[in-house]
């Protein structure tokens, strides 16, 4: 007879030792309705779900009637019969009957046996159909409810075991049956299973084991996993199950059978915990928990992470399995899958990969489910509980399942919704849970802790935790230790959270800069082959350098080697390279002259990389008879310059070497090529004396070589831009680092005699060295460095990405504008000013920023016939770039009054006080007013004037104002036009711009040499073709054009017009209205005849060969120009020299002189001719004053053309 009273049973509950704070003033309640209570002894151990469904259960014990006992017994018997019918296969009797056909039975026996057999078959089909249609779970649930409402404890325990065993077998069948169990009664079955595994009673351990087995199948199935783990309290129940086993000792139940279910559940849990710990991308982490988690569940996970335990009301104490704090490792091999579990200790362990459990299958098909589903026959399915291999995770202590699972749950909740993250932040406001996860020895806990920290920090709606700086330190330490163990995925995840911490917290940045830079540096060196880690470190360092904090000069020097390796590394991604460039740029800005070794090393590496690209491309493209000598000459010069730069870097750095090489901050930089060799040969104890001028000269040569190479190779500008050359150019243009270093050097030299005098007084002698004399300190060539930097920037400004960078830099644009306008007192170089204006025009016109330029009139449309945006290369110089018609598009225009004042200033400043152009009939006093009036009538330039220099000339020096019309200072033929004229003068800008204001004026540059001893140069046709492309790109030829040429420049222009005609570039040919020739050798030159005859000695350049007298090519070009003149398409004005020109000077005043272009060659046979009296070849284009015929005739010619064509 059943007992009349149900045995009371206590439920487990959570005891929280810490307070959880919410946004309100009241503390948040702890789990289990957030209050800590000792439950009253209940009449029934029913779970909460049962109490909900069975609201009619009396609150006190009542005796059972006889009918109730019979009903209960019948129900129990029916359930047992049903389970037996489902799980057993009755084949014995059938086999015996079939094998013994001679056995005779009575008709009654046969009838009864047939009836029983039919009943059995019918019952079996009904149960099978019920199982297939998900009715079985509901039937079992109804039977279980009936029993639980009226049976005593012993009956309930036995019945629970039977039911849960049947559920385990159903769950093992297939996915549809597992889905049926989960959906049965709205999830009530799953709730009962979860509560069952969390019950802390030894006498129900068998039921717990079977319930764990059911949950193992359900959790291992991706199809129902979310529904199971998403049940309210699911995580709390599972955590309680793991922690209860830690506190309970061995039970009387068969422990081996109990461990089977536990092992399966732990394997399923740990499989999902560790399945996503190999990717840093959030997209690969699929949250399995709901976005509306209960506070008590989150609180339970937080407590487990912090304390590694849950405080329960009973069952505490040690057991034979070993207590906390013991180190142990368990390894079990299950059908080829190795599971490794590391025991938790009270102290932090150095090993990071404790829970490194490899998974053979992908996340959506865990290995646990695949293993449990390996059944080949119905017999194996019937004996599934015995087929589970025990031992998996048996050696893993329970808290080492609870803590990883709690960390996984916390990461899932944080990923699921903003509401969950808000709850996590409220419950862990002090950040201890996240900190505990980061400091945990288990790998998965560190990984999920890093993810939680990253998600909380990325949510800007949450307040910033006060422990972020501690998080940052722990994350960096985790990344470093993981990289040491080659655990790259963990290192990536930790660094991804570290980046967000550094980005959001100023305190974190300060802490890392004070204590973490060395650890970052070690990690960077250790993970040089892992691009993802390097990219995260580069991003982190960029945040540390570009925010409110900055690297010290010592740290900058220590990082310089790594940063430059990131810039020039072949495996560096664009992200790594861009971050390294920004960091280096900040270093140069922060430390100025002290960072010169870094900037100079950067330039040396840039030049070496460019040389390597040039050599590779030259081999790949083959040989070009025309360009190969130029390229080879540039490469040879650049190689020599690169070696000089490397030595200069080592010498400059060697002066800072005071101690051991190992502790030298620049040791990593000098270990790179090409510095390693010179640094090895450096005398560490006695380094060479540091000279700023020598270092600056090496930098000058490096920039010049880089510009020469980029001017010849169209692919290199894009490459060097990606390598950060813009940062170097910005520094060279806007700052005067070498001048400051020179000042420091001069100050040190001035102090040296005093020190020597004090020393010599001790030895009774005084011998100050001349090297310490401040007057002996050489001035570095800063202006030339700036000029070649501006030239290189002009070449690069044609690239769209460079245009974007410059347009976005207001400081740089302001400097360029002031430089072009002549407002920077220290910059008087006309080339630099022209480069500055060309850069601005290239940038803002192509950026299409509100273009309202006066460079083109509405009647002309575009300036080059194809585009509204001209492209100014380094070979085209803009004369008087401060004038209004060079106004930068996209910028605010000057007012008209300001434009007039500029023109007046140019006229009043540059005009001669006594020079009056009486020949033209216009006095200087009226020129200024005429300029203003004319400009007020129309701001649009009506004509383009292009100046083209000759042999060994230049865009500015050829057009100087002369001091002496019939002598030169140079005694060498290679410097024939180098010293002539007044230095710093330029008559087109000083005179012509004021006398003829309605014109834009350009000056071209191209490389020419008299002999090959001075370097390689292009033949006439190649030079002309190259200049023609530059002119068309600059928009020259869309309005009337006048060419003003000297010597060889006239032949270059004739060749350009000839090529433009043959290639149908009609705009330039048709709009060329006039050409002025100053001493142009239309039919050859005697200077070309002499070196050609003794070519083995002088090695004449290719261009010289084309200037020989009677050259067919010259005759052809002259005939072409004659036809244009005859058609009245252009006018011609020629100037002829009358004096011999000194070529070579010897001792005692002896000089070899020659008439370079005689009058018969200077006059083409058509047009006007002006014979310049007492003028040699070099000075024919250099007027003495405004009244000089070489100027007045030219001005009159231009005014005639203006009246005729505009």
């Amino acid at each position: 007879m059943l007992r009349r009273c149900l045995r009371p049973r206590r439920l487990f509950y959570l005891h929280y030792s810490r307070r959880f704070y919410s946004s309100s003033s009241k503390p948040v309640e702890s789990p289990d309705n957030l209050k800590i209570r000792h439950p009253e002894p209940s009449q029934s151990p029913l779970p909460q779900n049962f109490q909900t469904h069975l609201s009619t259960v009396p609150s006190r014990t009542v005796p059972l009637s006889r009918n109730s006992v019979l009903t209960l017994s019948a129900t129990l018997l029916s359930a047992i019969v049903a389970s037996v019918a489902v799980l057993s296969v009755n084949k014995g009797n059938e086999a015996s009957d079939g094998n013994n056909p001679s056995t005779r039975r009575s008709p009654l026996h046969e009838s009864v046996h047939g009836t029983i057999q039919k009943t059995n078959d019918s019952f079996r089909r009904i149960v099978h159909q019920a199982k297939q249609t998900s009715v079985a779970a509901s039937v079992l649930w109804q039977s279980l409810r009936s029993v639980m409402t009226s049976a005593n404890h012993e009956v309930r325990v036995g019945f629970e075991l039977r039911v849960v065993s049947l559920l385990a077998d159903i769950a093992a069948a297939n996915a549809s049956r597992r889905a049926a169990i989960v959906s049965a009664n709205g999830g009530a079955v799953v709730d009962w299973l979860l509560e069952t595994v969390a019950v802390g009673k030894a006498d129900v351990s068998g039921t717990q084991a079977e319930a764990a087995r059911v949950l193992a199948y359900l959790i291992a199935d991706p199809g129902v996993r979310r529904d199971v783990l998403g049940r309210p309290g699911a995580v709390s129940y599972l955590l309680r199950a793991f922690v209860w086993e830690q506190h309970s000792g061995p039970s009387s139940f068969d422990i081996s059978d109990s461990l089977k279910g536990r092992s399966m559940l732990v394997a399923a849990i740990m499989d999902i915990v560790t399945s996503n710990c190999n990717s840093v991308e959030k997209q690969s982490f699929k949250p399995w928990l709901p976005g509306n988690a209960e506070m008590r569940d989150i609180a339970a996970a937080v407590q487990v992470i912090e304390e590694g335990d849950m405080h329960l009301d009973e069952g505490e104490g040690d057991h034979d399995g070993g207590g906390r704090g013991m180190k142990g490792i368990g390894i079990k091999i299950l059908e080829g899958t190795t599971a490794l579990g590391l025991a938790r200790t009270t102290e932090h362990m150095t090993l990071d990969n404790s829970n490194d459990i490899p998974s053979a299958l992908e996340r959506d098909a865990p290995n646990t489910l695949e293993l449990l589903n390996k059944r080949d026959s119905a017999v194996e399915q019937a004996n599934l509980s015995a087929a589970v291999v025990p031992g998996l995770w048996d050696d893993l202590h329970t808290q080492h399942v609870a803590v990883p699972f709690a960390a996984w749950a916390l990461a899932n909740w944080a990923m699921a919704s903003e509401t969950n993250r808000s709850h996590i932040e409220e419950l862990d406001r002090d950040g201890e849970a996240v900190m505990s996860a980061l400091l945990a020895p288990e790998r998965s806990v560190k990984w999920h802790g890093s993810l939680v920290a990253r998600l909380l920090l990325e949510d800007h709606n949450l307040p910033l935790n006060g422990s972020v700086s501690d998080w940052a330190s722990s994350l960096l330490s985790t990344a470093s230790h993981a990289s040491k163990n080659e655990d790259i995925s963990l290192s990536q995840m930790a660094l991804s959270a570290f980046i967000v911490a550094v980005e959001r917290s100023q305190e974190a940045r300060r802490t890392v800069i004070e204590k973490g830079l060395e650890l970052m540096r070690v990690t960077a060196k250790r993970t040089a082959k892992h691009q993802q880690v390097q990219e995260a470190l580069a991003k982190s360092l960029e945040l540390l350098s570009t925010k409110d904090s900055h690297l010290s000069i010592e740290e900058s020097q220590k990082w310089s080697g790594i940063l430059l390796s990131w810039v020039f590394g072949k495996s560096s991604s664009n992200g790594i390279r861009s971050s390294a460039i920004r960091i280096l740029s900040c270093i140069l800005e922060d430390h100025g002259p002290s960072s010169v070794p870094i900037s100079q090393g950067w330039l040396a590496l840039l030049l070496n990389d460019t040389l390597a690209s040039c050599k590779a491309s030259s081999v790949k493209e083959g040989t070009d008879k025309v360009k190969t000598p130029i390229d080879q000459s540039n490469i040879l010069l650049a190689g020599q310059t690169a070696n000089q730069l490397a030595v200069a870097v080592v010498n400059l750095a060697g002066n800072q070497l005071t101690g051991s090489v190992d502790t030298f901050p620049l040791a990593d930089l000098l270990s790179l090529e090409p510095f390693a060799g010179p640094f090895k040969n450096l005398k560490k104890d006695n380094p060479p004396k540091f000279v700023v001028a020598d270092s600056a000269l090496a930098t000058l040569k490096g920039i010049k070589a880089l510009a020469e190479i980029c001017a010849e190779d169209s692919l290199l500008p894009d490459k060097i831009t990606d390598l950060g050359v813009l940062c170097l150019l910005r520094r060279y243009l806007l700052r005067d680092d070498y001048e400051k270093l020179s000042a420091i050097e001069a100050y040190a030299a001035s102090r040296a005699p005093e020190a020597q005098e004090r020393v010599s007084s001790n030895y009774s002698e005084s011998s100050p060295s001349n090297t310490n004399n401040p007057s002996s300190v050489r001035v570095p060539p800063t202006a030339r460095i700036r000029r070649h930097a501006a030239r290189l920037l002009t070449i690069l400004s044609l690239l769209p990405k460079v245009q974007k960078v410059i347009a976005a830099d207001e400081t740089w644009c302001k400097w360029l504008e002031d430089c072009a306008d002549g407002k920077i007192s220290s910059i008087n170089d006309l080339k630099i000013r022209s480069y500055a204006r060309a850069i601005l025009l290239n940038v803002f016109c192509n950026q299409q920023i509100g273009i309202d330029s006066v460079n083109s009139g509405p009647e002309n449309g575009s300036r080059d016939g194809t585009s509204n945006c001209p492209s100014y290369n380094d070979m085209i110089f803009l004369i008087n770039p401060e004038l209004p018609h060079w106004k930068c598009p996209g910028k605010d225009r000057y007012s008209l009054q300001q434009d007039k004042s500029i023109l007046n200033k140019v006229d009043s400043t540059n005009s001669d006080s006594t020079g009056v152009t009486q020949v033209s009939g216009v006095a200087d006093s009226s020129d200024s007013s005429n300029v203003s009036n004319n400009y007020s009538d129309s701001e649009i330039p009506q004509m383009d004037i292009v100046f083209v220099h000759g042999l060994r000339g230049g865009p500015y020096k050829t057009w100087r104002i002369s001091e002496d019309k019939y002598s030169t200072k140079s005694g060498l033929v290679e410097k024939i036009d180098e010293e002539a004229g007044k230095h710093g003068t330029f008559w087109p800008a000083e005179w012509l711009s004021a006398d003829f204001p309605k014109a834009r004026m350009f000056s071209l540059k191209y490389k020419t040499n008299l002999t090959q001893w001075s370097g390689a140069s292009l033949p006439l046709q190649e030079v002309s073709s190259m200049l023609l492309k530059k002119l068309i790109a600059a928009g020259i030829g869309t309005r009337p054009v006048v060419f003003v040429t000297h010597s060889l420049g006239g032949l270059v222009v004739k060749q350009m017009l000839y090529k433009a005609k043959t290639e149908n570039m009609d705009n330039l040919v048709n709009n060329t209205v006039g050409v002025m020739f100053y001493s142009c050798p239309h039919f050859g030159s005697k200077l070309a005849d002499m070196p050609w005859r003794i070519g083995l000695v002088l090695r004449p350049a290719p261009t010289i060969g084309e200037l020989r007298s009677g050259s067919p090519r010259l005759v052809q070009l002259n005939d072409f120009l004659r036809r244009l003149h005859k058609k009245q398409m252009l006018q011609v004005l020629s100037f002829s020299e009358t004096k011999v020109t000194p070529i070579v000077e010897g001792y005692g005043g002896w000089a070899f002189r020659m008439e370079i272009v005689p009058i018969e060659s200077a006059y083409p046979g058509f047009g006007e001719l002006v014979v310049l009296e007492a003028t040699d070849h070099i000075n024919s284009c250099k007027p003495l004053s405004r009244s000089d015929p070489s100027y007045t005739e030219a001005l009159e010619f231009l005014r005639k053309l203006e009246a005729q064509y505009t």
Side-chain angles (χ1 to χ4, degrees), residues 306-327:
E306 284 194 17
E307 304 178 12
D309 196 4
M310 296 176 70
H311 297 281
L312 307 178
D313 65 327
E314 61 179 332
E316 297 186 3
D318 294 335
H319 54 276
D320 296 338
R324 296 180 64 185
M326 297 182 63
K327 297 180 181 180

Side-chain angles (χ1 to χ4, degrees), residues 276 342 509 598 653 705 728 762 897 935 972 1036 1086 1194:
N276 293 100
L342 178 67
R509 292 193 292 271
I598 299 176
L728 290 175
N762 298 331
Q897 186 63 34
Y935 195 77
L972 295 176
I1036 298 173
K1086 293 181 180 180

